[in-house]
Amino acid sequence: MIQRRCIVYMVLLVLALVVLLAANLFIGAVDIPAREILTILGGEEGSKASWYYIVWESRIPQCITALLCGSALSVSGLILQTVFSNPLADSSILGISSGASLGVALVLLAGGGSLLTGEWLLSGFVAVIAGAFIGAMLVMGIILFLSALIKSSVMLLIAGIMIGYVTSSVISLLNFFSTAEGVHSYVIWGLGSFGGVSLQQLPFFACAALLGLICALLMVKPLNALLLGTRYAENLGINVRRVRALLLLITGLLTAVTTAFCGPVSFIGLAVPHIARLLLGTSNHNVLLPVTLVAGAVIALLCNLLCILPGELGTIPLNAVTPVIGAPVIIYVILRRRSIHYLDS
């Protein structure tokens, strides 16, 4: 029954994914005729050189970025909700996103938009990406170190929250002493965007995100074992500490890459796993993880499409749209308190 439902919803989600990919390619802030877009996708230049640039340098990378970012954040949220047995856990709860934000704050607010790494001086968008990635990975290193010392998942969760508070405090101080231009740049980055990955940067972003997603798919059996408790997992011969550290490493990689390139995107990692559970009626990761992965891509593409204002009015920030979709889902889950059967087959 669950397998049949999974197949039905997976087919529907894939169809929705294809439709939304097409919609994101054909609809944008600049009105380009559909025939011209098809011509450009066929390899020809089209009537205007600017249209060719918009399609290949903006819309196509943005579509792929949204697809991968949505999948990565959703899978990260699902993993953390399972590891900590907390339905409100997502990629920001361990402070990894806050670490990325601190890295960007140091670049934009303290470094004037530059980052000195040894003999190399990075500036502009490259410095922002480097700062976010370094900040996220440093916090992830601290979390992995603590995970080797702290046995309780609840205590590790609290430690992650405290790290998030400390980084937020440092960011507040940097904002207070920074210039108006620096604060403005940091605020813009914090609003989130799927349009920050260029065609040249896309291979690195895609490879890192796909690596994390593939590793997550290989952890289905340990995730199912963790659902039934630590003692049950240990009785099955699973090294709980090692598995937890590996899952945190996967989550850290996915969070670091997505936050570095797209900013701190909110609610997707928190809400999408609940949407998948409500659709399937199970928490069996054999079916839940693939559906969550595809559903995350669908929701991210939908949010990206909703950011486009009618006419040529431009776009609105991503984090102005994601809570509109994510918050009602979380409120619905809290109000219904719907019980999910963990290992239905």
Side-chain angles (χ1 to χ4, degrees), residues 225-298:
L226 290 175
L227 285 175
L228 298 178
T230 303
R231 289 185 179 179
Y232 181 85
E234 289 175 345
N235 290 336
L236 292 176
I238 294 175
N239 188 325
V240 174
R241 284 197 177 187
R242 185 181 299 171
V243 167
R244 186 177 64 178
L246 185 56
L247 290 171
L248 291 176
L249 183 63
I250 294 169
T251 303
L253 173 64
L254 292 173
T255 303
V257 171
T258 54
T259 307
F261 282 91
C262 306
V265 181
S266 63
F267 274 100
I268 290 180
L270 179 60
V272 173
H274 289 294
I275 294 174
R277 288 192 189 96
L278 292 172
L279 290 175
L280 298 175
T282 182
S283 288
N284 184 349
H285 288 81
N286 287 314
V287 294
L288 181 60
L289 188 58
V291 170
T292 300
L293 190 153
V294 180
V298 170

Side-chain angles (χ1 to χ4, degrees), residues 265-344:
V265 181
S266 63
F267 274 100
I268 290 180
L270 179 60
V272 173
H274 289 294
I275 294 174
R277 288 192 189 96
L278 292 172
L279 290 175
L280 298 175
T282 182
S283 288
N284 184 349
H285 288 81
N286 287 314
V287 294
L288 181 60
L289 188 58
V291 170
T292 300
L293 190 153
V294 180
V298 170
I299 295 298
L301 286 168
L302 176 62
C303 291
N304 191 59
L305 190 63
L306 294 175
C307 288
I308 301 171
L309 295 174
E312 296 188 359
L313 298 176
T315 59
I316 58 177
L318 181 62
N319 280 334
V321 174
T322 52
V324 176
I325 295 177
V329 174
I330 302 305
I331 294 171
Y332 175 79
V333 170
I334 293 173
L335 293 178
R336 285 289 300 271
R337 295 184 179 181
R338 184 171 178 173
S339 60
I340 303 296
H341 299 290
Y342 275 79
L343 285 173
D344 295 339

Side-chain angles (χ1 to χ4, degrees), residues 75-323:
V75 168
S76 296
L78 176 61
I79 290 174
L80 291 177
Q81 288 169 16
T82 301
V83 170
F84 295 107
S85 300
N86 188 333
L88 297 181
D90 69 346
S91 57
S92 63
I93 199 166
L94 287 179
I96 300 173
S97 295
S98 299
S101 298
L102 177 59
V104 173
L106 289 171
V107 171
L108 295 179
L109 303 179
S114 300
L115 178 65
L116 182 63
T117 56
E119 297 180 355
W120 297 93
L121 180 64
L122 305 178
S123 61
F125 187 68
V126 176
V128 171
I129 294 174
F133 192 80
I134 292 170
M137 297 306 286
L138 284 176
V139 172
M140 187 189 71
I142 295 172
I143 295 296
L144 288 174
F145 174 75
L146 293 176
S147 70
L149 302 177
I150 302 173
K151 186 176 181 180
S152 170
S153 294
V154 175
M155 297 305 295
L156 183 61
L157 185 66
I158 294 173
I161 294 173
M162 293 303 104
I163 292 173
Y165 278 126
V166 172
T167 55
S168 297
S169 176
V170 176
I171 291 171
S172 297
L173 290 173
L174 289 171
N175 271 300
F176 181 79
F177 290 106
S178 180
T179 62
E181 292 80 6
V183 173
H184 177 74
S185 299
Y186 180 75
V187 169
I188 294 298
W189 176 83
L191 294 175
S193 172
F194 292 137
V197 182
S198 66
L199 193 62
Q200 291 73 30
Q201 297 164 342
L202 189 59
F204 172 79
F205 174 80
C207 289
L210 288 173
L211 175 63
L213 291 172
I214 291 170
C215 291
L217 290 171
L218 296 175
M219 299 296 291
V220 167
K221 289 185 178 180
L223 284 168
N224 277 340
L226 290 175
L227 285 175
L228 298 178
T230 303
R231 289 185 179 179
Y232 181 85
E234 289 175 345
N235 290 336
L236 292 176
I238 294 175
N239 188 325
V240 174
R241 284 197 177 187
R242 185 181 299 171
V243 167
R244 186 177 64 178
L246 185 56
L247 290 171
L248 291 176
L249 183 63
I250 294 169
T251 303
L253 173 64
L254 292 173
T255 303
V257 171
T258 54
T259 307
F261 282 91
C262 306
V265 181
S266 63
F267 274 100
I268 290 180
L270 179 60
V272 173
H274 289 294
I275 294 174
R277 288 192 189 96
L278 292 172
L279 290 175
L280 298 175
T282 182
S283 288
N284 184 349
H285 288 81
N286 287 314
V287 294
L288 181 60
L289 188 58
V291 170
T292 300
L293 190 153
V294 180
V298 170
I299 295 298
L301 286 168
L302 176 62
C303 291
N304 191 59
L305 190 63
L306 294 175
C307 288
I308 301 171
L309 295 174
E312 296 188 359
L313 298 176
T315 59
I316 58 177
L318 181 62
N319 280 334
V321 174
T322 52

